[in-house]
Each structure stands twice: as C-alpha cells, then as structure tokens.
Amino acid sequence: MKIFSAPQIKAWDAYTIQNESITSIDLMERAAIACFDWITRHFDHYSSFTIFCGRGNNGGDGIALARLLHEKNYKVRVFIAGLSKGSNDFEENLNRFREISQHLEFINTEEAFPSLENDVVIDAIFGIGLNKKPAGVYPLLIEYINKNAKTVISIDVPSGMYIDNTSEGNKIIRSNFTLTFQNEKLAFLMQENADYNKRREMLDIKLSEHYGKSEESLYELIDKSLIQKIYSPRKPFSHKGNYGHACLIAGSYGMMGAAVLAAEACLRSGVGKLSCFIPKCGYQILQISVPEAMCQTFGKKHLEDLTNEFDFEVIGIGPGLGNFPNQKKLLKSVFKNFKKPTIIDADALNVLSTNPSLFKKIPAGSILTPHPKEFERLFGKTVSDFHTIEVALEKATLYNIYIVLKGHHTFIATPSGKGYFNSTGNPGMATGGSGDVLTGIITSLIAQKYSSLDACILGVYLHGVAGDLGSEQLSEEALKAGDIVNFLPEAFKQITN
C-alpha cells in the first residue's frame, strides 16, 4: 500500500473529482457516510455525540456526519471553532445542518467550551492539510478535549498532528479511534505519535484507482498483495543446490544461543545448505541443537583467524559474536574477501559504529539490521522519528546498502531513496533473540536468490507473521524468540494461501 503525502492526497481528491464525475461536496458526503457507517456499527442510539469542527474540509466532514447522525435520531451537538470564513463545502454543509437542527454553537473562547459529560466526542477540527502549529482558541480546545472527553473519534487524523513531519510541540488530540480515509498515513507509523492514535480504521471512500496505481510514493506499507508479488514458490524438480549455500558467522562463549536461533531460522526459511563459522566452545551446542547445519570452528571462546575463502551465496554476521579486540580485523577480512550481499547484525554493527572507515568497504547490496540504539551508535542521534527515517534513507543511498531499522513498524531504507514499513508483528517480539531470528530469515532468502530488497521485505513480513501467530497462541508476554522460529512454517502457509 502506497503512503502518500498530504499534497498527494489533496491531488488524489482533485483527480477523483475531475475524472470520475463527482463534485467535491459529494466526495465529502461519501467520506461522512463512511464514518457514519462505522460509528453506527460501534455505538448504539443511547450514545450522545459532541462534534467539534474547524472551518476547513475536515470540519465539513464533521458537519455532514452530524447531519447523518441527526437524521437517524442520534443525539448530536455541533460546535464550530475559529473566526475565519470556512471552505465552500464547509459552508454548504453548515447550511444543510442548520435546516434540520438548532444544536449548533460557535466557540471562540475557553469560557464557551461545553460540558462533555459522557458524550462521545468527534474531532473534526483539523485534517491532513494542517501545516502550522495550532494557535488561538485551538490549542486550548484540544487540551480541554484531552482532559475531559472519555471517548474521542478523530476524522482522518487527530487534530494538531502533521502527517508528513514531526508534530513535536503541538497540542494534539488523543484519539481512541481515528477513522482515516483510503490509505495509511506516514505519521501513524511513528512511535512519537502512538499516544495520540490508539486505534485506527481505514475507510474506503472510492478515490480514483488510476491515481492510486500510477502515482509514485516515497514510502510504502508492506501488505499481503506486495508479498504475493515477491514470494517465489518452489519448482517441482528441485534439489538443495537450487536454494543456495549460506554462511552464518556467529557465536561466542556464553552467547551461542544467538547463533542457534539464527541458524534455526535460516533453515526454517528454506535455505538449501547452511554452514556456521563458530568458536570451538560452541561446537557441540550447535551440532546438537541444529544438526542440519554444517560447522567449522575458528578460535576457542570467540571467533579468530577466519578462512579467506567464502564460497557462499550470502554471509550473515553478528549474532552473539561478543566484543573482542580482533573483530575489526574479522569484519575487514569478510568485506575484503566476500563481494556479495552480507547481512550485518548485532555485535558486527557495534564494530562498524566504532570503525566508521569500514562503511565504504561494505559489499554493495548488503543489509544492516540495527535496533534503535544500534542505529544511534551507527549514525548519531536524531531529533524525531521522521528525522530518523530521513537519516536511514540518506545513509542507505550513500553506502549503497539496505538498512532494516527494527521496531513496531520495522522500516526498510533502500539505496534508491524509497522506504518500506512493515505491517506485521506485535510487542511480544520485543524479546532477546528476536533480531537473531530475523538475521537468519533474511540470510536464507538472499541465498535463495531473492534480491536484497525483496529479501528485506519478505523477511520482515514473515518474521512479523510468525510472531503474530505465536502471540495468538501463547500471549505476547510468553512469546520468546524460539517460538518465532517454530511458527515460521505457519507463516509460510499464510503467504502461500
């Protein structure tokens, strides 16, 4: 699913109006009907609604919704904020509402704010077009709603929130439900906005399919339709050589579990053959835990003096490596002698962060998989979540690499400058070893000749689906990294059905 900017969404509306024989007021009515249908499915006639409207098109949506609710005998009050003249469609809907109801007031001072009691509050103050900090009566109204309303429904976006940039410093409505239109918004995928957007519902208002398909977007949400384009099923006449030979360089004394998890995930994700380069202390552990993997040992308690021959399709390096003085030399050796995509995770990322000269030696198309703290160590502090993804895209382009920034909506930054957000996964996956599993999955997919981009997209999606399946059966709290591996078979079944 493409994630469009505010100007693109406005252009989408305009294109629909121009090319599909619909007026702007009727498109507004379509949005109001979609909201009405959702609200009447979730709230009965005992509910009372207080609707706060600005004077733009978001306010027009709110007044149109108020009229629809009133016509079905719901108890509705409407309060209009602001002094400026409204948009044409706002004024038209205002006149329509006045014809059927007297429950309409104008509020421009704090003293005029109504008692909310147990009303459901509908926020239609600002929409996606907000581009400056709310001033005047608006921040006072937003603060009043946040303090006094028990249930808040925002239309399209919580008022006070920018959809393309950080809203830091703004007063923002804290919504229980956001009824957003047509497609995902960038702001909803940012952790900094989580408190203002507890649950959202995406409502289809039938904007032009042609515009949606033809317009390019800087960001995209990974969904099942994209996965089905990427996933390549196995051919009947196959052998293990068709699915690649991967190498995992992992493990140290006390951290062999990370190597085991990565190896299990790699094998469960379909690799033809897997070799693990590990220290001697982990030999029995890995041979017993993952008998399908081949092992070579280098060093006693941690990896030392690797071979210079890497006859593999892909290398994954980092899980459980530990922090030892020789690791810069180890990473340098891999980059010098292996020119294919390399998945760099965990302790290997820490080596990079303290040796920035190594960035230019990373093989083209390689994949870095940092969590937020690792990302900060690699590229420095950022001032907002929006800034973070900008930096990720900048660095991915600069070094011709892919950056998989792990989190609730794991973000993939690509060398082309485009970004992808994952749509699967849950908080139960915030547990030690989950990242090692992801490294194993992506390593496996690269070995099977998926491109670096497709391996990142398919890998994070599968990882999240397996985590979702595990949390459904075991709970988020009880989920551990090994469970994610165990649910990978079901995850593959989901994407193939």
Side-chain angles (χ1 to χ4, degrees):
M1 177 187 290
K2 294 176 181 177
I3 301 170
F4 290 135
S5 65
Q8 286 178 307
I9 295 170
K10 287 184 178 181
W12 200 356
D13 286 347
Y15 185 93
T16 303
I17 291 164
Q18 185 176 350
N19 292 278
E20 300 198 358
S21 301
I22 184 171
T23 63
S24 59
I25 191 80
D26 287 338
L27 185 59
M28 186 175 283
E29 187 77 2
R30 192 184 285 177
I33 290 170
C35 292
F36 171 82
D37 288 343
W38 186 90
I39 288 169
T40 53
R41 287 198 306 270
H42 292 83
F43 295 89
D44 58 31
H45 273 86
Y46 294 103
S47 302
S48 298
F49 297 91
T50 295
I51 304 182
F52 291 98
C53 299
R55 290 174 176 265
N57 284 344
N58 193 250
D61 293 337
I63 298 176
L65 172 60
R67 173 174 46 79
L68 294 170
L69 288 167
H70 179 83
E71 288 172 347
K72 292 299 181 181
N73 299 315
Y74 283 88
K75 185 179 177 183
V76 182
R77 300 182 298 169
V78 176
F79 294 87
I80 311 295
L83 296 169
S84 60
K85 187 179 185 301
S87 68
N88 292 337
D89 290 341
F90 168 87
E91 295 293 343
E92 175 63 27
N93 270 310
L94 181 60
N95 291 332
R96 291 180 182 181
F97 185 75
R98 276 174 163 158
E99 290 174 1
I100 64 169
S101 176
Q102 301 301 312
H103 296 290
L104 174 68
E105 294 184 37
F106 294 86
I107 52 171
N108 295 301
T109 65
E110 193 172 1
E111 290 73 25
F113 294 168
S115 170
L116 298 180
E117 298 177 351
N118 292 315
D119 283 10
V120 176
V121 169
I122 296 177
D123 156 37
I125 304 169
F126 299 121
I128 62 165
L130 183 70
N131 56 18
K132 62 182 179 180
K133 190 174 181 178
V137 73
Y138 295 113
L140 297 173
L141 178 57
I142 289 170
E143 199 167 11
Y144 178 80
I145 292 170
N146 286 343
K147 186 176 179 181
N148 294 282
K150 293 182 179 178
T151 302
V152 181
I153 302 171
S154 285
I155 305 302
D156 210 11
V157 61
S159 290
M161 183 186 292
Y162 307 137
I163 69 163
D164 297 326
N165 300 291
T166 183
S167 307
E168 185 70 31
N170 285 9
K171 296 291 184 184
I172 305 171
I173 291 287
R174 295 181 184 274
S175 296
N176 300 94
F177 306 95
T178 300
L179 307 183
T180 197
F181 301 132
Q182 205 65 41
N183 73 329
E184 189 62 277
K185 312 297 187 289
L186 182 61
F188 296 158
L189 304 174
M190 301 296 172
Q191 182 178 341
E192 66 185 63
N193 290 326
D195 289 344
Y196 309 108
N197 177 43
K198 293 189 174 99
R199 175 179 163 187
R200 65 187 176 278
E201 300 287 336
M202 200 169 301
L203 307 182
D204 184 2
I205 59 170
K206 308 298 181 187
L207 294 180
S208 165
E209 285 188 19
H210 180 265
Y211 182 97
K213 289 177 180 177
S214 61
E215 180 72 5
E216 293 298 321
S217 64
L218 181 59
Y219 302 106
E220 195 162 338
L221 184 70
I222 301 168
D223 57 16
K224 195 167 184 178
S225 64
L226 178 58
I227 293 302
Q228 288 174 337
K229 292 175 186 175
I230 290 171
Y231 172 71
S232 178
R234 295 196 168 206
K235 295 177 180 178
F237 291 90
S238 295
H239 57 83
K240 64 185 177 184
N242 297 128
Y243 302 108
H245 189 179
C247 174
L248 284 172
I249 301 173
S252 61
Y253 183 80
M255 291 194 287
M256 285 307 301
V260 169
L261 287 166
E264 287 182 326
C266 191
L267 288 159
R268 279 291 184 199
S269 299
V271 70
K273 293 188 291 181
L274 173 62
S275 290
C276 294
F277 289 3
I278 57 172
K280 191 172 287 186
C281 66
Y283 182 76
Q284 284 188 319
I285 294 170
L286 200 70
Q287 289 276 261
I288 293 169
S289 301
V290 194
E292 299 89 348
M294 297 173 283
C295 294
Q296 292 187 54
T297 61
F298 302 88
K300 293 182 179 179
K301 291 193 173 183
H302 63 271
L303 281 157
E304 295 182 87
D305 301 323
L306 290 182
T307 176
N308 290 332
E309 295 181 11
F310 299 106
D311 189 18
F312 308 105
E313 274 72 38
V314 62
I315 289 175
I317 182 169
L321 276 186
N323 182 19
F324 300 98
N326 70 312
Q327 287 184 337
K328 178 182 177 182
K329 180 182 174 184
L330 185 149
L331 207 56
K332 209 171 178 180
S333 171
V334 172
F335 293 166
K336 180 181 177 181
N337 296 292
F338 188 73
K339 299 303 181 182
K340 298 177 184 177
T342 303
I343 291 77
I344 305 164
D345 184 32
D347 292 316
L349 293 174
N350 294 329
V351 176
L352 270 181
S353 67
T354 54
N355 298 277
S357 62
L358 290 176
F359 272 105
K360 293 182 179 179
K361 301 181 186 298
I362 299 173
S366 291
I367 300 162
L368 277 59
T369 59
H371 58 57
K373 272 296 178 187
E374 289 168 338
F375 184 88
E376 185 180 300
R377 289 195 288 268
L378 287 165
F379 304 118
K381 288 189 176 182
T382 53
V383 297
S384 70
D385 292 340
F386 289 86
H387 185 210
T388 299
I389 64 172
E390 288 171 10
V391 170
L393 289 169
E394 175 192 321
K395 299 301 183 182
T397 302
L398 177 63
Y399 297 117
N400 195 19
I401 57 174
Y402 294 81
I403 298 173
V404 177
L405 179 55
K406 295 178 285 198
H408 178 48
H409 292 289
T410 290
F411 178 67
I412 301 167
T414 73
S416 70
K418 183 164 182 172
Y420 295 81
F421 290 89
N422 191 31
S423 61
T424 60
N426 64 84
M429 299 173 71
T431 184
S434 179
D436 303 316
V437 173
L438 180 61
T439 295
I441 295 170
I442 296 175
T443 301
S444 178
L445 295 174
I446 292 283
Q448 294 170 69
K449 298 181 177 59
Y450 284 94
S451 69
S452 293
L453 174 59
D454 288 350
C456 288
I457 292 172
L458 181 56
V460 299
Y461 188 87
L462 278 167
H463 186 245
V465 171
D468 289 340
L469 291 165
S471 69
E472 285 172 16
Q473 291 202 25
L474 305 171
S475 81
E476 290 180 354
E477 290 79 6
L479 190 71
K480 58 187 181 70
D483 299 323
I484 301 173
V485 177
N486 293 337
F487 279 97
L488 276 171
E490 284 300 317
F492 272 98
K493 285 182 182 179
Q494 274 208 7
I495 67 168
T496 55
N497 290 335

